[in-house]
Amino acid sequence: MKTNDKLAKHVVIVVHGSLRDGDSYWSLMNDIFADLIKQGDARVDRNLIIVAPEFFSAEQNEGQYSSKQLAWPDLNLWQPGEASSRPKGLNISSYEAIEKLVDHFDNSSQYPQMKNITLVGHSGGGQLVNRYATLARKLPQNTHMRFIVADPSSSLYFTEDRAVTDKNIVDKAKCPLYNSYRYGFDNLTIPIYGGQSAQTGFKNYVTRDIVHLNGLLDTEVNGDQQCMAILQGGTQRISRNFSWWKYLNLIAGTGEDMRFFPGNFTNVPNWKHLYSGDFTPRLSIVANASHDVDQVFNSAIGNSALFDTDVLPGWRPEKPGQSTDSFPSAAIRAQVRFALFIPLVALTSIFLR
Ligand SMILES: *[C@@H]1O[C@H](CO)[C@@H](O)[C@H](O)[C@H]1NC(C)=O
Ligand SMILES: *[C@@H]1O[C@H](CO)[C@@H](O)[C@H](O)[C@H]1NC(C)=O
Ligand SMILES: *[C@@H]1O[C@H](CO)[C@@H](O)[C@H](O)[C@H]1NC(C)=O
Ligand SMILES: *[C@@H]1O[C@H](CO)[C@@H](O)[C@H](O)[C@H]1NC(C)=O
Ligand SMILES: *[C@@H]1O[C@H](CO)[C@@H](O)[C@H](O)[C@H]1NC(C)=O
Ligand SMILES: *[C@@H]1O[C@H](CO)[C@@H](O)[C@H](O)[C@H]1NC(C)=O
Ligand SMILES: *[C@@H]1O[C@H](CO)[C@@H](O)[C@H](O)[C@H]1NC(C)=O
């Protein structure tokens, strides 16, 4: 389809996962949007722009980036916004790269019709969006910004409270870095965005348009398995998510009934006095999606997160007292194991953080 950038009203910036396969993410989004347009879905802008930035790993992608392109140390230090290591000496936070992209599309002389900027990240990209939404110093001036945090392995906690208290699972006392950045606000030293207080981060997070999008069947034990991550809700990503949602509601003093959500939180402080107006983050759960970006976004709930103002919430837990370990139910877990037999070949692109 022929599109015209000058008429574009919506841009979706999609951040890849740990495999740094921006091309697959771009194609996946493009296929989903093309299908919806074919079906006549009026929510999708006919001139929608999709951007999939590529965060190279200096080690793993050697030879794939030029001497003028940025690359980040280790596999995934672009996720928490650390400084680039190539070209040498520039030290640019991956968050500054995102900010520049956002500014580019917020420019009304180049994009006079632009209304919505959506920053989407799945898995490792979800980690980036969770932290960027917390630490970004400003929102765009001319456009509305939505953050979609899909299936991250861990979140940036504002306080030292954690979901897991059972020392047989993981012992906080033996996990000295559990509240260090990327997991908490200690040692937040990344360029430009470093040094901010947890209170500022909290205020940003609970007043921005953030949709947490999670596949309920994301129950395999993989992704980040360090003690800092396990303390956030056990070995499975999905329980860490539900625990994050519970924590967010507790600290923001929303008064929502969180009994059905896992997480042994006691004495979480109430920071309601730190923000005014509505609590804006949302939780949407795709009941039959695993840690698979296609299943998550190629669903009514995923489409809603991308295109609706009133985002569909999807699945909700119905039983009180579900603990991290028994959550989701054994029946759902069995279903996942079964489902995983078939797409073994596709797994490489699905897993990791
Ligand atoms: C960039 O980072 C390197 C390695 O961490 C450090 O030695 C150097 O001083 C930094 N440069 C700037 C301009 O911050
Ligand atoms: C917006 O884009 C125009 C045209 O490319 C450019 O001249 C201008 O500097 C940009 N404005 C901002 C604030 O970046
Ligand atoms: C939550 O607390 C209960 C009661 O102390 C304990 O039995 C359970 O193991 C804890 N669960 C986790 C995940 O810490
Ligand atoms: C602090 O952050 C730096 C840079 O990310 C890291 O190398 C160091 O291990 C961290 N130290 C602690 C105590 O977390
Ligand atoms: C949230 O749940 C998703 C499953 O959709 C999982 O991939 C992710 O790791 C979880 N993240 C956290 C912080 O719990
Ligand atoms: C999930 O359920 C919806 C509606 O029941 C269905 O259309 C979709 O194909 C299912 N997706 C998967 C991955 O099973
Ligand atoms: C688009 O922006 C409008 C505000 O101009 C907002 O109400 C709406 O929810 C946004 N839609 C999406 C999909 O972000």
Side-chain angles (χ1 to χ4, degrees):
M1 203 172 83
K2 236 180 148 183
T3 59
N4 183 343
D5 285 358
K6 283 265 179 242
L7 301 179
K9 297 189 188 73
H10 191 181
V11 56
V12 172
I13 303 172
V14 58
V15 184
H16 56 65
S18 283
L19 291 175
R20 305 169 309 282
D21 48 349
D23 53 343
S24 340
Y25 278 80
W26 189 92
S27 300
L28 181 111
M29 288 294 169
N30 189 54
D31 289 350
I32 294 176
F33 302 157
D35 268 359
L36 291 173
I37 288 176
K38 215 184 281 166
Q39 290 161 26
D41 193 320
R43 296 172 302 178
V44 188
D45 174 19
R46 269 40 184 174
N47 294 291
L48 180 101
I49 297 173
I50 309 167
V51 182
E54 181 68 32
F55 293 101
F56 292 111
S57 155
E59 285 83 12
Q60 307 273 325
N61 297 113
E62 225 182 323
Q64 291 171 34
Y65 54 90
S66 76
S67 61
K68 288 190 172 155
Q69 284 178 309
L70 297 171
W72 278 264
D74 201 353
L75 246 187
N76 55 38
L77 286 182
W78 50 270
Q79 293 171 5
E82 298 283 353
S84 59
S85 55
R86 297 282 187 286
K88 280 209 169 91
L90 286 182
N91 301 16
I92 292 179
S93 166
S94 48
Y95 294 172
E96 196 180 354
I98 295 286
E99 190 177 320
K100 287 274 187 287
L101 261 179
V102 171
D103 287 348
H104 171 81
F105 289 105
D106 190 41
N107 185 334
S108 52
S109 64
Q110 289 205 57
Y111 300 97
Q113 304 292 323
M114 193 60 81
K115 301 273 183 305
N116 291 88
I117 299 180
T118 306
L119 178 67
V120 189
H122 178 255
S123 197
Q127 290 202 47
L128 179 146
V129 179
N130 164 262
R131 283 138 183 115
Y132 183 71
T134 310
L135 301 174
R137 300 163 298 176
K138 59 180 172 58
L139 291 175
Q141 299 277 300
N142 307 310
T143 45
H144 175 89
M145 175 122 182
R146 174 172 296 172
F147 305 85
I148 304 183
V149 180
D151 293 356
S153 273
S154 63
S155 302
L156 174 56
Y157 276 68
F158 308 111
T159 58
E160 295 184 8
D161 304 282
R162 291 297 180 274
V164 174
T165 52
D166 186 342
K167 291 188 175 50
N168 295 317
I169 301 173
V170 61
D171 190 352
K172 227 179 185 178
K174 293 184 185 142
C175 188
L177 296 184
Y178 80 91
N179 199 45
S180 281
Y181 188 72
R182 73 175 76 189
Y183 305 93
F185 272 79
D186 296 347
N187 194 30
L188 169 54
T189 55
I190 62 173
I192 298 185
Y193 305 85
Q196 299 189 60
S197 71
Q199 285 79 2
T200 301
F202 163 80
K203 202 171 140 191
N204 288 340
Y205 206 79
V206 297
T207 54
R208 290 178 173 173
D209 182 356
I210 297 168
V211 180
H212 301 93
L213 186 62
N214 300 125
L216 183 62
L217 304 185
D218 197 343
T219 56
E220 283 290 286
V221 175
N222 58 26
D224 190 345
Q225 293 296 325
Q226 299 182 85
C227 61
M228 298 84 92
I230 293 176
L231 274 167
Q232 297 193 358
T235 53
Q236 302 172 347
R237 292 194 185 83
I238 189 65
S239 353
R240 292 182 204 156
N241 269 306
F242 286 133
S243 297
W244 167 248
W245 183 244
K246 181 174 188 170
Y247 169 77
L248 207 53
N249 274 272
L250 292 173
I251 192 166
T254 61
E256 287 293 313
D257 184 357
M258 287 290 126
R259 278 173 309 164
F260 296 2
F261 285 80
N264 280 349
F265 294 107
T266 46
N267 306 319
V268 173
N270 183 335
W271 283 6
K272 197 173 170 56
H273 61 282
L274 290 183
Y275 70 103
S276 55
D278 291 333
F279 171 84
T280 47
R282 289 173 273 190
L283 173 68
S284 290
I285 302 169
V286 187
N288 59 357
S290 64
H291 194 70
D292 179 332
V293 59
D294 198 7
Q295 290 176 7
V296 169
F297 287 101
N298 222 337
S299 65
I301 307 297
N303 295 170
S304 181
L306 287 159
F307 298 115
D308 288 339
T309 296
D310 296 317
V311 178
L312 296 171
W315 186 91
R316 280 295 181 275
E318 281 162 10
K319 274 198 310 207
Q322 279 168 315
S323 79
T324 330
D325 345 315
S326 65
F327 197 84
S329 72
I332 290 178
R333 268 185 267 162
Q335 201 182 324
V336 177
R337 271 198 293 277
F338 177 71
L340 283 175
F341 271 122
I342 308 149
L344 271 184
V345 258
L347 288 186
T348 47
S349 67
I350 296 176
F351 290 125
L352 302 170
R353 293 182 199 179

